[in-house]
Amino acid sequence: FWLTNTNKLVAWYEGVDGLKTGLTDESGPSVVVTARHDDDRFLVVILGAPDSDTRWREASRLLDWAFATFDSITVARPGRPLAEARVAGGRRLTVPVVVRDVVGVTVPKDEARGITWAVEVSEPLAAPLAGGQQVGRIVVRRGDRELASAPVVAGQDVERAGLPLLMARLFGWTWPMR
């Protein structure tokens, strides 16, 4: 069985890894191309190209423009603590706050330096907490403008503290954390 990929950019354009060529009555000859360089990934759609050469040329031009004009900035990755949130009534006094999925934004290159982020959690969090339970959000901004937000979650379980541990804390006694 021999299969020929009709997306010529897979071989011609560095970083192209898909996606679809086709023809419909509504859109005419078309192509959807995805390409990746480092953290940047772009998707280009060309509909109704008059001929094959135009379709590939325009897709290449749009990819060139996108990679030259925009930057993708990764703000947070799963498993990397962003903050410690205070926990009320727990065996632990704090819990690491993480994201489930990669959080990032794509902005014009000249705006990349002004990107900031903050974790918003209403503290203290009430125990018990399950690892992966949503506890707030991360907000990505440029100046006063919100560009993106995503849930943040507890990075681990926090069991409710028993009465002996709560009493020990109240009176400042040392208590084994078994």
Side-chain angles (χ1 to χ4, degrees):
F1 179 70
W2 184 261
L3 178 66
T4 302
N5 187 338
T6 59
N7 184 343
K8 296 179 187 326
L9 291 184
V10 170
W12 295 347
Y13 196 103
E14 184 180 343
V16 168
D17 52 9
L19 186 67
K20 176 82 176 105
T21 60
L23 171 71
T24 67
D25 291 338
E26 293 83 20
S27 64
S30 305
V31 65
V32 179
V33 178
T34 61
R36 180 183 199 128
H37 289 210
D38 302 321
D39 284 340
D40 295 324
R41 173 176 290 285
F42 295 103
L43 178 123
V44 169
V45 179
I46 304 293
L47 301 174
D51 57 63
S52 181
D53 289 340
T54 302
R55 184 173 41 199
W56 304 123
R57 184 177 59 251
E58 292 305 308
S60 295
R61 286 180 53 201
L62 281 171
L63 286 171
D64 289 344
W65 173 78
F67 284 116
T69 306
F70 295 96
D71 253 339
S72 295
I73 300 165
T74 301
V75 175
R77 295 187 186 278
R80 294 187 183 165
L82 301 171
E84 288 280 325
R86 291 179 295 119
V87 178
R91 288 189 53 81
R92 298 177 45 89
L93 297 174
T94 63
V95 65
V97 174
V98 299
V99 291
R100 287 187 193 117
D101 301 306
V102 172
V103 175
V105 293
T106 300
V107 295
K109 286 187 184 271
D110 62 343
E111 294 183 15
R113 289 184 183 238
I115 302 300
T116 61
W117 60 271
V119 174
E120 297 176 350
V121 176
S122 294
E123 295 180 281
L125 301 170
L129 290 169
Q133 177 180 337
Q134 185 172 339
V135 295
R137 69 183 193 139
I138 182 172
V139 180
V140 183
R141 291 186 173 88
R142 183 164 194 282
D144 293 336
R145 188 174 57 146
E146 184 176 313
L147 301 178
S149 69
V152 293
V153 299
Q156 64 187 88
D157 294 342
V158 179
E159 296 174 7
R160 184 170 296 159
L163 185 58
L165 177 55
L166 293 173
M167 293 298 291
R169 284 185 187 151
L170 180 65
F171 292 108
W173 301 332
T174 308
W175 184 265
M177 294 293 286
R178 287 181 256 189

